[in-house]
Amino acid sequence: MSDSEIQVEILTPEKPLASEAAEEVSFPAEDGYMGILPRHTPLVAGLGIGEVTLRQGPNLKRFLVQGGFAQVSPERVVLLADLALLAERIDRAEAEADLKKAAEALSHATMPEEVEAALTLERSARARLEILGRR
């Protein structure tokens, strides 16, 4: 790995999803997207819901992550995601169905945890559809 690259690992509770070098990585933190280059200052952040991109030259590799933590060091980024998928594995019909389920659940929610679960499902479905729209 050269000085212009950073090692990126995307891990889920089930299995490692990616381990590769990139020139740049961006990911959704809980309070907005972060762009990371090699030799970045160390940090830990909560992961939000959205698209992770790994850039290597003109090539982009895309993933969806949902929840978890990011650990950044000058030479490495580890995304410990509750859920992660390669963009190519996202199912449009499933995302559209989840968006409808979320709207239905939100219209019937009475407890705060029901509202939060419906909003999380909605954010996840919208993120998947946005990623599919960029491919």
Side-chain angles (χ1 to χ4, degrees):
M1 187 168 61
S2 73
D3 287 345
S4 64
E5 295 178 323
I6 190 165
Q7 183 66 26
V8 181
E9 295 185 43
I10 302 174
L11 310 171
T12 70
E14 292 82 30
K15 63 180 180 178
L17 188 60
S19 179
E20 54 196 85
E23 293 172 0
E24 179 182 11
V25 59
S26 69
F27 59 85
E30 289 177 337
D31 55 355
Y33 273 83
M34 300 190 78
I36 307 295
L37 298 170
R39 296 179 300 254
H40 195 282
T41 303
L43 67 88
V44 174
L47 283 176
I49 298 172
E51 182 179 35
V52 173
T53 58
L54 308 181
R55 185 178 61 80
Q56 185 68 339
N59 301 318
L60 285 180
K61 195 164 193 180
R62 294 180 157 92
F63 301 85
L64 166 79
V65 294
Q66 182 173 324
F69 293 91
Q71 180 182 22
V72 177
S73 68
E75 60 281 331
R76 188 171 170 197
V77 174
V78 179
L79 304 179
L80 301 163
D82 295 337
L83 175 103
L85 292 170
L86 268 167
E88 293 81 26
R89 303 289 308 242
I90 296 172
D91 182 313
R92 180 178 299 281
E94 182 181 326
E96 290 171 349
D98 283 349
L99 194 56
K100 289 178 185 174
K101 283 183 206 172
E104 179 70 21
L106 199 53
S107 71
H108 293 85
T110 57
M111 303 296 291
E113 55 272 3
E114 294 171 332
V115 172
E116 183 60 34
L119 290 173
T120 298
L121 182 59
E122 179 186 40
R123 284 191 299 268
S124 174
R126 287 189 189 283
R128 287 179 277 159
L129 292 170
E130 286 176 19
I131 291 168
L132 288 171
R134 291 187 188 122
R135 292 191 343 186

